[in-house]
Structures are given as structure tokens and as C-alpha cells.
Amino acid sequence: MRALATWSGALAGLLLILIGGLLPAAIMVPLPPHLISLPATWQVPALLLCALVCGPRAGVIASVAYLSLGLMDLQVFHGGGGVNYLADPGFGYLAGFVPAAWLTGRLSQQPGMGDLPAQTGAALAGLLSLQICGLLNLGVGQLFGRWSMPLHQLVMQYSLGPLPAQVLLCITIGLLAVLIRRLLLIEG
């Protein structure tokens, strides 16, 4: 029964990630009412939500499936897909999906992790691990002369630019995870 739950969660997570890549993130500003677009999609939050609700196994399976689809030339990544994407500066962030899913899911399953601050903290820890993987890729690529842009511009474009929006989305994901976990009667 646990295997079925893991695979069901992984499939749901993969679908969330795929759909999340298509949806731009935005926040509603009340006065005057309008949407402000954020420099992020729901892709990373969808992965973190899968890991928070379904655990580390389902999160890792969903992230590996997503990376596999993208590397098999399906256009699911932000800049397309295919094996050539391995040489893209942003690939380190995508590779960071795997440790981010594992860490987030692992933290969410610890005793006493069922409240909003704990779920948000687990999501933020996953986001941090994803950022570290991406920054390592940028740094190593810069050392070997793989990037045409200077390192500070790459860090701004891939890390610091989207980071505030991703932090806000982690809070939203923490809230959604608490609600879904209560609906599914998941203890934490």
C-alpha cells in the first residue's frame, strides 16, 4: 500500500511540476486591485509541495521523472529541453530538484512538522539546497570558461532575481501543505 501511495504521489508531483512550469506566479495587490507578476513560475513550489505532502521518495521520483522528460527532448524546461540543456547555466538549478525534494520531504516527515512555520521552513530548506546546486554549477562553469556572461550577472539572473518571489511562494506552499496534510490526515 505504501508503494502505491509513493507512486501516486510521484505522478501527482510530476503533473504539478509540468503544469507549474506553464503558470507564471503573481500576487494580488488590493489597492487598486491588480496582479503583479513575479519573476518565477510555480515549478519549484510544485516540487516542494509534492515533497511536503507525499514525502522524499515521491518528491525524488517526480523530480527524476521531470528531468528525464526534459532531457529526452520534450520541451518542459524553461528554455526548452534536450541533452544540450546540460550545458545551460540554469541546469544546475534543475539538477537541484533532486536534493531539494529529498531534503524537503525528509524534513516534513519529522515529528512536530505539521504546522505552518515548520512546513514553510522545510520548503525554504529545499529551496536553499536547490540554490546551492545552481550556484555550484555556475561557479564550476565559470572556472572552466563555459559561460559567456560574467558570473555576477548569471548569479543575478538565475539566483538573486527570482529568489524573493520563490521565498514568498515557499510560504504559500507551506500553507497549502498544512491544509492538504490535514485533509489527507497526515500526521506531523
Side-chain angles (χ1 to χ4, degrees):
M1 192 66 160
R2 182 176 176 178
L4 178 62
T6 298
W7 285 101
S8 299
L11 182 58
L14 175 61
L15 292 174
L16 276 174
I17 295 167
L18 290 171
I19 293 169
L22 301 173
L23 300 175
I27 57 172
M28 176 68 96
V29 178
L31 296 173
H34 65 284
L35 287 175
I36 295 178
S37 185
L38 298 175
T41 65
W42 282 97
Q43 210 167 25
V44 172
L47 167 75
L48 298 175
L49 180 63
C50 171
L52 287 171
V53 174
C54 301
R57 284 189 186 107
V60 167
I61 292 169
S63 60
V64 168
Y66 173 70
L67 290 172
S68 299
L69 287 175
L71 292 174
M72 288 191 302
D73 226 4
L74 294 175
Q75 305 292 309
V76 296
F77 299 151
H78 178 67
V83 177
N84 293 338
Y85 210 83
L86 291 169
D88 187 83
F91 187 75
Y93 297 90
L94 290 172
F97 274 32
V98 177
W102 182 84
L103 179 63
T104 303
R106 196 80 181 124
L107 290 174
S108 74
Q109 290 185 334
Q110 301 303 311
M113 292 292 288
D115 60 351
L116 177 60
Q119 292 293 297
T120 301
L124 288 170
L127 178 62
L128 178 64
S129 71
L130 188 144
Q131 288 287 329
I132 289 170
C133 290
L135 289 169
L136 283 172
N137 181 57
L138 291 179
V140 169
Q142 187 69 29
L143 281 175
F144 290 107
R146 287 177 37 202
W147 320 132
S148 58
M149 290 174 61
L151 184 60
H152 70 279
Q153 286 181 349
L154 290 169
V155 169
M156 190 61 178
Q157 179 181 345
Y158 289 99
S159 271
L160 297 179
L163 188 61
Q166 289 175 335
V167 169
L168 282 174
L169 292 172
C170 280
I171 297 168
T172 304
I173 289 307
L175 178 62
L176 280 173
V178 167
L179 295 173
I180 293 170
R181 287 167 65 97
R182 287 188 182 155
L183 283 173
L184 297 176
L185 303 174
I186 298 173
E187 303 205 9

